Amino acid sequence: MTFGFAPSSAASLSTSAASAHRVLEPAEWAAAGIPLLRNPREVVSGLHARHHPRPDTAVLAVLDPDERLRASASFTRRPAPADGWMFRNALLAQLRRVIPHDLRRRTPVRTAVLLYCREGDARWTEEDGAWMWGLRDACTLHGLRCGAYITLTRDGWQVLGEGRGGRRPNADSAPEPFGSAQTPPPLPRTGGAASEVLRRAAAR
């Protein structure tokens, strides 16, 4: 819902010009010192399995120093022009919902990463730049380190600014079940003296 007067054409131009500055170019992102993920495929596969993102879905995750997932949230982007300020507000709202801030720390310990599933190929777009701007600003306001920005398309996933990526998972692939790469837990042992005692007790 909108209140007040409709903006004039001059005001609209001013708003558009301001929005253009809420975008990070790939060179700016690379120069920002974003920490590299040690195992990006594992992070992407885990988020894909947990949230099953479809196009226009953003998945925000908070990792601890060992890259263990501490919190995550996903939401669908509203149909509106790409604006880093709007993206920042959406990301900050999700962070506040899923994890306490770290603003009392001298230096950030936890890192937020963003996985965005969209149409098109893996090349940088202005929409990506707006998400980068929003992620960086939301992390600052929540006391987190700004981490990787990852796109997920039908071609696969790509960590923008790093040149690392893969074909699976992608926007069309079915999510892999949790722990598919882990050894299944051992079956409970049967037999032995303890089992015989329990069997006799149950028979009474």
Side-chain angles (χ1 to χ4, degrees), residues 7-19:
S8 66
S9 57
S12 298
L13 289 173
S14 175
T15 301
S16 299
S19 298

Side-chain angles (χ1 to χ4, degrees), residues 40-171:
R41 179 179 173 79
E42 184 176 306
V43 172
V44 172
S45 296
L47 295 179
H48 185 263
R50 182 180 293 270
H51 293 278
H52 310 175
R54 309 309 302 166
D56 295 327
T57 301
V59 180
L60 180 63
V62 179
L63 309 178
D64 69 10
D66 295 322
E67 287 193 2
R68 289 187 297 245
L69 182 66
R70 288 306 175 202
S72 65
S74 63
F75 60 98
T76 303
R77 183 199 157 180
R78 295 179 179 177
D83 185 343
W85 185 78
M86 297 294 291
F87 290 169
R88 185 276 307 272
N89 290 345
L91 294 171
L92 192 57
Q94 296 297 327
L95 286 173
R96 288 170 174 164
R97 185 173 66 85
V98 299
I99 199 163
H101 67 74
D102 277 348
L103 293 172
R104 293 186 181 90
R105 292 183 176 273
R106 288 174 177 260
T107 57
V109 173
R110 296 180 292 190
T111 303
V113 301
L114 180 63
L115 171 72
Y116 183 55
C117 183
R118 61 167 173 77
E119 301 287 355
D121 56 33
R123 287 177 293 183
W124 181 90
T125 67
E126 189 169 314
E127 181 186 25
D128 294 325
W131 279 116
M132 291 170 166
W133 191 97
L135 177 62
R136 184 186 65 177
D137 219 41
C139 288
T140 299
L141 294 173
H142 207 68
L144 303 173
R145 288 201 308 172
C146 179
Y149 173 72
I150 307 160
T151 57
L152 186 72
T153 66
R154 288 184 168 84
D155 294 332
W157 57 272
Q158 179 82 16
V159 184
L160 291 193
E162 295 185 21
R164 293 191 291 175
R167 293 185 178 180
R168 293 186 67 85
N170 57 57

